[in-house]
Amino acid sequence: MATAWTWSYEGYEPSKERLREALCTLGNGYFATRGAASETRAGGPHYPGTYVAGCYNRLTSAVQDRQVENEDMVNLPDWLPLRYRIRPAGAPPGPWLSPDHPYLVDHRQSLDLRGGTLTRRSVYEDGAGRRLTVEQERLVHMGDPHLAALHTVFTADGWAGEVEVESAIDGDVRNAGVARYRDLADRHLTGWETGTEPGSTVLLRCRTVESDITVALAARVVVASGPGAGGEAAAGRNHRVTPRQTPRSVQQNLVLPLDRPDAGAAVDKTVALYTSRDPAIGSPRQAAVSAVRRAPAYPGLLASHRRAWADLWQQVRLEVPGEPGRILRLHLFHVLQTLSPHTAELDVGVPARGLHGEAYRGHVFWDELFVLPFLNLHLPEISRGLLDYRYRRLPAACRAARGAGRAGAMYPWQSADEGREETQELHLNPRSGRWLPDRSRLQHHVGSAVAYNVWQYCQATGDTEYLYSKGAEMILQIARFWADSATWDDGLRRYRIRGVVGPDEYHDAYPDAMTAGLDDNTYTNVTAAWVLTRAGELCRDLPDIRCRQLLDRIGLDPAEPARWDDISRRLYVPYHRGVISQFAGYGDLAELDWDGYRKRYGDIRRLDRIMEAEDDTVNRYQASKQADVLMLGYLFSPQELATLFRRLGHELDDDTWRTTVDYYVARTSHGSTLSSLVHAWVLARVHREDAWAHCEEALTGDVADIQDGTTEEGIHLGAMAGTLDFVQRGMTGLETREDALWLSPATLPQLSKFRVRLRFRRHWDVDLRIGAERLRIAVPDDGPPGVRVVLGGHTHVIAPGTARWLDLPEG
Ligand code: BGC
């Protein structure tokens, strides 16, 4: 039965299996494994996949007579395989069983979010009425990020005999999880070596073809003495485990007696996974073998795994009643499985699709914009680690800017290991079968997202050390890029940034233009103005000596910040018919027959593909994939946005903003899961009654897989984390600035009561409860100072060890 902490699926449905695999992925921020059944191999409804964060490899493929290079997060050897068959006394062995076998009579799987385990119960019955019940529990260890385990219990019903078990580590794997990539090279592994070790242990080692990362997995397979049994070693002596090696895989076979009808037999498979990217090891092989040998028996492993999860849940508490709360908990579970405290120790960014599948090749986009603000107030060390990923790639971003003839840092739209641009050159439209140029790399606004995240992290944590060191360097270099990208237009008497693509990726050129890109994308310009303003402030705030050092180090003319100030006030923001234009000329594009398209196609989220397949292009129409101008309402509070516009010489009154919101709501197809989230966020303050529909769509995006079946290729991490932040910051209006928590709640009826516990500065458990008319804030007794809270224009200081009820302001 489903509860607030479980996520269950009754019955086996092959057509939904890949989706369930993605949603039942287990991970620990270092690696993750899809929830594929251990009896199956890749193909048909199954796609087992194991991914280590940051483990990429580059391959070249021939596409349409061109050589194109793609870098992928590598699908690593599959550690899951474990299949079985029954050997009834006096009869020949039965067939190898799996959920696809007709003998399956019952199947149920359940994800325990609290303890981080996946349990499957399958019942098989053969033609002679012999029943075998198999209960399997799986974990990917949250405490020791290199370990994983399968605990499998067999029970015979109506027969006696043996069960034969075959376990393997399969290195013969490819990156074949996304059908659209099927024409591209997919063999990322080479140099397989297998071996056996004392103590029922086998080993497989291989390396990635180009990035030359060595990967080693060791598995120990032993017999435990039944359900709940703890004594694997003793039982193990009685059952020989026979290893077998093939060039790319290694197997272990064993036979267990099932001679008493009511007693079960159990097998435990413990796996260790290391790569040559890991610190503090001799070699991956030696590390994997000794880790698996050292690992305690399954009950001990399970206990320490659960403890690690309990610790983590303690640090990230968001309590929302009802079904939304249940989905949010699942979202939080997957966020923490992708980005855990272990991630903070690695050199990795935020993979857009989690470690849950191969869509977008495990690349890092601007999606961290939807993830870090949430983490900042719970596990800021993870945010800092993720910002460090960007900092280490600052030199690459500066090289990219230089290559484009600009100063400063041009962060790539898609980033992977080196930090160079990894956006594919061509992408396939599965509707038309045509390969098309991919111009999304012109989304230079990703740089503003990096700067925004640095700023937000520092505001939330008060980490001035970071702001004044790595943070300042990133912000200044990004500002420099924007300043150098802006060109003065004498006619407009404004600065312009031309030839870019905004968050709405549908528009990548003007109709019939020979060149790619658009001019004066409002989102790009306003966020650039924000970065330039912040960079100027930073130069003023930095201690003199640090400022001189920094300017000297990055070769920045001390007169440059004055120019930034000028540009930040005079960047062009186009308008048409009283609304803010998405880019210059947007208002001149044709109107789309939305009803007609909806009638003809039903789901028109991927309007770009539909139109291209009709030999038309969405570039000709006022039709956006996702929030673009409206993203500004996501990043900035109404007051901050009005201030930014005022600085740019425009009065952004409520009416103009409301008309702008209405205009784009009517012209957006929501071809990205990020879109409904942002619309919910913005509408919650503009048209409260319309917000919930978008929120619901954001909540169900992955669990109901509403984006064209894409969840099976990986979860949408930005949207998952974004829904958490929708409650945490969207509903509360929470901002962290000037050393205070600023609150301006605007809750929806469906989300009007919730509780969130935050880490703010030195207080690790600030308890914020929101109700329909009042909020309560409690500060733990961790010593002074208290927490300053600003609500409805009044400042309250909540002393340590006290709690306060505050009335929500009218309206
Ligand atoms: C969206 C981007 C997003 C990317 C990765 C695309 O569909 O348009 O905004 O960064 O997915 O999640």
Side-chain angles (χ1 to χ4, degrees):
M1 201 197 66
T3 70
W5 284 91
T6 57
W7 203 260
S8 305
Y9 297 104
E10 293 294 340
Y12 172 61
E13 286 186 59
S15 64
K16 299 214 172 114
E17 187 60 10
R18 283 187 180 225
L19 170 64
R20 292 177 184 180
E21 287 176 353
L23 293 171
C24 291
T25 295
L26 292 183
N28 56 28
Y30 169 80
F31 84 98
T33 296
R34 288 165 61 85
S38 71
E39 305 84 4
T40 61
R41 298 283 164 102
H46 310 290
Y47 193 72
T50 289
Y51 311 95
V52 166
C55 182
Y56 294 101
N57 184 63
R58 208 176 282 285
L59 290 178
T60 303
S61 321
V63 179
Q64 290 196 328
D65 303 330
R66 279 174 63 178
Q67 297 293 305
V68 295
E69 216 180 66
N70 281 303
E71 182 164 60
D72 284 86
M73 178 169 82
V74 180
N75 182 17
L76 296 179
D78 183 14
W79 63 270
L80 289 177
L82 190 136
R83 58 178 188 162
Y84 37 80
R85 58 181 175 180
I86 65 168
R87 296 162 69 115
W96 292 106
L97 297 171
S98 85
D100 298 304
H101 199 279
Y103 286 178
L104 185 79
V105 289
D106 198 16
H107 189 266
R108 172 174 205 276
Q109 90 188 44
S110 180
L111 198 54
D112 170 14
L113 306 179
R114 195 192 296 273
T117 52
L118 175 66
T119 313
R120 239 167 10 104
R121 181 174 185 275
S122 320
V123 182
Y124 300 92
E125 185 177 313
D126 69 9
R130 287 181 281 245
R131 278 192 165 223
L132 178 73
T133 300
V134 185
E135 287 185 275
Q136 191 179 66
E137 187 172 70
R138 173 186 307 186
L139 62 85
V140 171
H141 207 281
M142 191 44 98
D144 182 334
H146 298 279
L147 294 180
L150 280 182
H151 172 64
T152 315
V153 181
F154 302 93
T155 322
D157 182 2
W159 61 283
E162 295 169 332
V163 61
E164 181 181 349
V165 175
E166 182 187 274
S167 163
I169 308 175
D170 180 12
D172 194 11
V173 296
R174 298 180 297 143
N175 271 56
V178 178
R180 287 184 305 289
Y181 304 164
R182 65 180 163 263
D183 293 343
L184 305 172
D186 58 10
R187 290 263 178 207
H188 291 278
L189 298 176
T190 187
W192 298 265
E193 278 171 40
T194 56
T196 59
E197 297 281 333
S200 307
T201 298
V202 293
L203 176 96
L204 183 136
R205 180 171 72 168
C206 56
R207 63 188 158 77
T208 55
V209 172
E210 194 268 349
S211 51
D212 204 17
I213 301 170
T214 300
V215 181
L217 290 103
R220 182 185 70 187
V221 173
V222 292
V223 176
S225 40
E232 69 174 38
R237 273 202 300 275
N238 301 328
H239 306 275
R240 258 180 68 76
V241 178
T242 322
R244 273 205 308 142
Q245 299 174 50
T246 66
R248 294 179 185 182
S249 73
V250 55
Q251 272 178 21
Q252 290 161 292
N253 283 64
L254 65 163
V255 175
L256 316 176
L258 275 178
D259 37 15
R260 278 179 301 129
D262 51 340
V267 173
D268 290 343
K269 177 176 187 179
T270 309
V271 173
L273 164 56
Y274 280 81
T275 81
S276 50
R277 279 170 52 90
D278 294 328
I281 57 166
S283 71
R285 176 196 168 106
Q286 167 265 325
V289 170
S290 48
V292 93
R293 267 205 210 128
R294 268 196 322 266
Y298 186 79
L301 213 50
L302 178 64
S304 55
H305 170 65
R306 286 200 173 135
R307 258 195 319 275
W309 263 109
D311 260 12
L312 206 49
W313 285 119
Q314 183 72 31
Q315 293 181 67
V316 195
R317 287 163 73 167
L318 180 67
E319 291 161 28
V320 178
E323 187 59 10
R326 223 169 72 80
I327 298 179
L328 286 166
R329 190 165 286 131
L330 181 79
H331 287 184
L332 185 47
F333 180 69
H334 285 304
V335 170
L336 294 174
Q337 293 200 109
T338 311
L339 306 168
S340 79
H342 301 298
T343 319
E345 305 298 318
L346 309 172
D347 174 31
V348 299
V350 175
R353 305 300 284 275
L355 300 171
H356 298 57
E358 291 160 16
Y360 289 132
R361 308 164 195 290
H363 289 176
V364 176
F365 296 62
W366 71 326
D367 299 46
E368 62 209 49
L369 195 56
F370 301 87
V371 180
L372 264 61
F374 177 78
L375 291 177
N376 287 342
L377 289 162
H378 300 278
L379 295 160
E381 60 276 20
I382 304 181
S383 301
R384 189 177 162 133
L386 295 167
L387 292 173
D388 279 345
Y389 165 85
R390 293 297 193 177
Y391 179 71
R392 288 186 205 99
R393 285 151 187 82
L394 182 59
C398 292
R399 278 197 300 277
R402 268 202 307 283
R406 312 235 185 115
M410 179 169 90
Y411 274 96
W413 173 240
Q414 293 188 29
S415 180
D417 62 1
E418 294 171 35
R420 68 183 221 198
E421 182 58 78
E422 301 293 351
T423 303
Q424 57 196 342
E425 288 160 39
L426 298 172
H427 65 229
L428 178 73
N429 178 0
R431 262 184 191 272
S432 66
R434 284 191 282 256
W435 286 91
L436 308 160
D438 191 323
R439 291 147 165 176
S440 56
R441 66 184 57 209
L442 293 176
Q443 291 190 70
H444 301 316
H445 64 79
V446 59
S448 295
V450 174
Y452 181 91
N453 273 333
V454 169
W455 188 261
Q456 285 289 333
Y457 161 78
C458 295
Q459 289 287 315
T461 57
D463 189 348
T464 6
E465 190 266 328
Y466 200 83
L467 184 63
Y468 287 178
S469 54
K470 298 174 184 171
E473 201 171 332
M474 285 189 271
I475 292 179
L476 263 52
Q477 291 287 30
I478 295 163
R480 208 174 178 190
F481 171 73
W482 285 134
D484 205 34
S485 302
T487 52
W488 177 251
D489 185 309
D490 253 343
L492 286 171
R493 312 285 312 147
R494 287 278 182 174
Y495 288 98
R496 311 183 67 183
I497 297 177
R498 312 187 68 170
V500 299
V501 168
D504 157 35
E505 316 187 313
Y506 281 176
H507 293 92
D508 61 5
Y510 286 102
D512 307 319
M514 302 298 288
T515 51
L518 305 153
D519 301 334
D520 314 302
N521 170 251
T522 293
Y523 175 77
T524 305
N525 287 7
V526 174
T527 56
W530 180 87
V531 174
L532 290 161
T533 311
R534 292 285 91 85
E537 274 172 24
L538 248 180
C539 289
R540 286 193 295 279
D541 290 353
L542 282 174
D544 274 356
I545 180 166
R546 170 66 189 141
C547 189
R548 275 200 305 278
Q549 270 171 359
L550 189 56
L551 299 195
D552 198 40
R553 198 161 103 78
I554 65 176
L556 189 77
D557 180 348
E560 178 76 352
R563 211 174 128 283
W564 296 351
D565 185 72
D566 183 44
I567 300 172
S568 76
R569 294 171 191 277
R570 294 206 282 170
L571 269 161
Y572 181 44
V573 177
Y575 282 78
H576 67 276
R577 296 195 282 285
V579 300
I580 305 165
S581 307
Q582 190 173 304
F583 51 82
Y586 185 88
D588 302 331
L589 301 179
E591 289 285 8
L592 186 82
D593 172 13
W594 289 89
D595 288 343
Y597 268 90
R598 285 203 177 99
K599 241 186 237 135
R600 248 186 302 152
Y601 290 97
D603 183 349
I604 57 163
R605 287 190 178 87
R606 292 311 303 260
L607 202 52
D608 56 334
R609 292 181 178 162
I610 292 176
M611 300 196 100
E612 195 276 330
E614 287 180 339
D615 292 324
D616 199 348
T617 163
V618 75
N619 272 331
R620 299 205 307 118
Y621 300 91
Q622 296 187 38
S624 302
K625 176 182 184 185
Q626 66 197 85
D628 194 303
V629 176
L630 302 198
M631 270 300 298
L632 296 174
Y634 176 78
L635 294 193
F636 305 114
S637 68
Q639 294 74 9
E640 197 173 5
L641 191 57
T643 310
L644 261 171
F645 269 69
R646 198 162 307 123
R647 192 182 164 91
L648 284 161
H650 302 281
E651 257 333 294
L652 181 62
D653 54 37
D654 288 352
D655 279 348
T656 312
W657 181 244
R658 188 168 291 121
T659 321
T660 301
V661 171
D662 292 345
Y663 191 86
Y664 291 104
V665 165
R667 289 168 179 78
T668 304
S669 78
H670 307 296
S672 156
T673 49
L674 299 173
S675 191
S676 32
L677 168 72
V678 176
H679 279 79
W681 191 290
V682 169
L683 287 169
R685 282 172 197 269
V686 174
H687 292 301
R688 196 164 165 248
E689 61 289 358
D690 296 339
W692 179 246
H694 292 278
C695 181
E696 243 185 336
E697 177 146 337
L699 282 172
T700 51
D702 275 330
V703 294
D705 192 18
I706 58 179
Q707 281 287 343
D708 220 11
T710 52
T711 300
E712 64 174 52
E713 303 165 349
I715 53 149
H716 296 83
L717 194 72
M720 281 197 171
T723 53
L724 304 170
D725 205 26
F726 179 74
V727 178
Q728 178 169 296
R729 289 193 310 141
M731 294 290 90
T732 59
L734 174 62
E735 291 177 88
T736 46
R737 54 186 163 89
E738 297 153 38
D739 290 333
L741 291 176
W742 295 65
L743 293 166
S744 167
T747 57
L748 301 180
Q750 298 83 349
L751 282 174
S752 59
K753 200 170 162 229
F754 57 88
R755 182 175 184 186
V756 53
R757 317 201 41 170
L758 308 169
R759 198 196 297 181
F760 183 60
R761 306 295 166 95
R762 65 185 308 280
H763 298 293
W764 276 49
D765 192 17
V766 176
D767 183 1
L768 177 64
R769 291 185 212 187
I770 302 279
E773 279 151 22
R774 294 195 303 165
L775 65 81
R776 178 184 182 273
I777 183 152
V779 175
D781 197 3
D782 295 332
V787 171
R788 274 195 331 124
V789 176
V790 187
L791 177 70
H794 300 286
T795 303
H796 311 265
V797 179
I798 320 291
T802 68
R804 188 90 74 81
W805 284 99
L806 302 174
D807 289 333
L808 299 186
E810 292 287 309

